[in-house]
Amino acid sequence: VQLLAKLLFRIMFNMSYKLFNSIVVTNEAELEYFKLKKIDVLLNYNGVNFKQFQELSTLPTKNNNNFVISYIGKIGIAQNLEVFILAAEVLENIEFNIVGYGSEYNKIKSLILIKGLKNVNLHRKVDWDKVLYFYQESDVLYAQLSENFSGAVPSKLYQYLNTGKFVIYGGSGQACKVLSYFSNNIAIPSNNVEKLVSAIKTAKNLSDKGLNSNKNIEIIKNKYIREENVRKVLQEWEGSNTDRVL
């Protein structure tokens, strides 16, 4: 089904993109892709909206004394959170949170039960106020995308960086390039339990020195606020085109 869907969307894309004067993309990998197709392309970085920025950059101090690592986002095939569970099995003294829902939710739930893990807390999708709470109570935030998605940047990654907290990312490609602009993070190969365990141990050892980064918050403010980036893109169109787009 996935292969058929991929083929269908590829055909639809190849039939339609030439009908537009300009294409807006969200990262450099997409930018290079469209440049090769000889079409006008504008870069509009993804990120966080201004309200999210204010709330994420002013989180209250963590209350939980345990060392906590959290995944907050979609639970699907691309994320392969089985790796996260297997790391939790090794690191019994660290608290793991999984917050979200998706096609792999029941599989992950069953795996936690089969292994009898007491240090993994699984939560379904929650509202934004509760998301903020999980961000607040985490020391480290984790995300992953498998190799087939190396051209993508998870939007959740910008939220993670906006908190200033330590980030561990499993994957390659464009997301790692984005992370290279920031501090307070580790990028590792995707689907590698050993590397993930090692990265979590490294973060825990650094925790005594503090794992928050004001630098990351400042970078998000200057470069990854959605409303500001949309405004910049619209300014690149001539006045008549801007009116049409709006």
Side-chain angles (χ1 to χ4, degrees), residues 34-193:
F34 278 103
K35 281 183 176 179
L36 292 176
K37 292 186 174 294
K38 308 298 183 183
I39 188 169
D40 182 45
V41 56
L42 299 172
L43 180 59
N44 174 23
Y45 288 113
N46 199 352
V48 298
N49 64 47
F50 186 69
K51 183 175 185 293
Q52 288 175 334
F53 170 78
Q54 290 180 310
E55 293 174 328
L56 290 168
S57 59
T58 56
L59 291 173
T61 303
K62 177 174 176 282
N63 293 314
N64 188 350
N65 291 325
N66 296 336
F67 188 84
V68 180
I69 177 169
S70 297
Y71 171 83
I72 303 172
K74 184 177 180 181
I75 303 176
I77 295 173
Q79 292 76 29
N80 188 20
L81 290 183
E82 183 177 346
V83 175
F84 198 52
I85 301 303
L86 294 177
E89 187 177 22
V90 176
L91 301 170
E92 297 179 347
N93 296 323
I94 291 177
E95 185 176 334
F96 288 68
N97 285 326
I98 299 175
V99 184
Y101 191 74
S103 61
E104 296 288 286
Y105 179 88
N106 290 331
K107 176 183 175 181
I108 294 301
K109 182 178 180 179
S110 296
L111 186 60
I112 294 169
L113 291 173
I114 289 170
K115 292 186 172 294
L117 299 177
K118 304 297 184 183
N119 61 328
V120 181
N121 306 307
L122 179 62
H123 307 267
R124 292 177 74 96
K125 186 177 180 180
V126 299
D127 61 29
W128 177 244
D129 288 341
K130 195 69 173 177
V131 169
L132 290 174
Y133 169 78
F134 282 113
Y135 279 142
Q136 172 190 330
E137 293 302 309
S138 300
D139 296 284
V140 175
L141 298 168
Y142 167 76
Q144 173 170 270
L145 278 182
S146 298
E147 290 297 317
N148 290 341
F149 302 88
S150 61
V153 180
S155 59
K156 191 65 64 174
L157 205 56
Y158 296 106
Q159 288 185 16
Y160 282 10
L161 294 164
N162 195 163
T163 67
K165 307 223 171 196
F166 198 91
V167 174
I168 296 176
Y169 179 73
S172 61
Q174 190 59 38
C176 291
K177 183 174 182 179
V178 170
L179 285 172
S180 70
Y181 305 143
F182 293 84
S183 62
N184 214 36
N185 67 79
I186 296 176
I188 59 175
S190 62
N191 303 322
N192 190 313
V193 178

Side-chain angles (χ1 to χ4, degrees), residues 3-51:
L3 289 173
L4 288 173
K6 180 178 179 180
L7 178 62
L8 175 62
F9 283 120
R10 187 179 295 275
I11 292 171
M12 292 171 60
F13 166 76
N14 285 325
M15 290 174 60
S16 63
Y17 81 87
K18 297 175 183 178
L19 302 176
F20 297 90
N21 294 329
S22 298
I23 299 289
V24 179
V25 298
T26 60
N27 63 58
E28 285 88 350
E30 296 168 347
L31 182 69
E32 294 304 315
Y33 177 84
F34 278 103
K35 281 183 176 179
L36 292 176
K37 292 186 174 294
K38 308 298 183 183
I39 188 169
D40 182 45
V41 56
L42 299 172
L43 180 59
N44 174 23
Y45 288 113
N46 199 352
V48 298
N49 64 47
F50 186 69
K51 183 175 185 293

Side-chain angles (χ1 to χ4, degrees), residues 182-229:
F182 293 84
S183 62
N184 214 36
N185 67 79
I186 296 176
I188 59 175
S190 62
N191 303 322
N192 190 313
V193 178
E194 182 179 346
K195 294 288 186 181
L196 177 55
V197 168
S198 177
I200 295 171
K201 287 180 178 179
T202 297
K204 191 173 188 301
N205 290 336
L206 292 172
S207 63
D208 291 338
K209 302 176 183 179
L211 289 177
N212 285 350
S213 171
N214 290 327
K215 174 188 174 182
N216 287 356
I217 296 173
E218 193 66 22
I219 293 173
I220 292 290
K221 179 182 178 181
N222 293 333
K223 195 172 181 179
Y224 297 101
I225 301 296
R226 287 176 177 172
E227 293 92 335
E228 182 63 18
N229 288 342

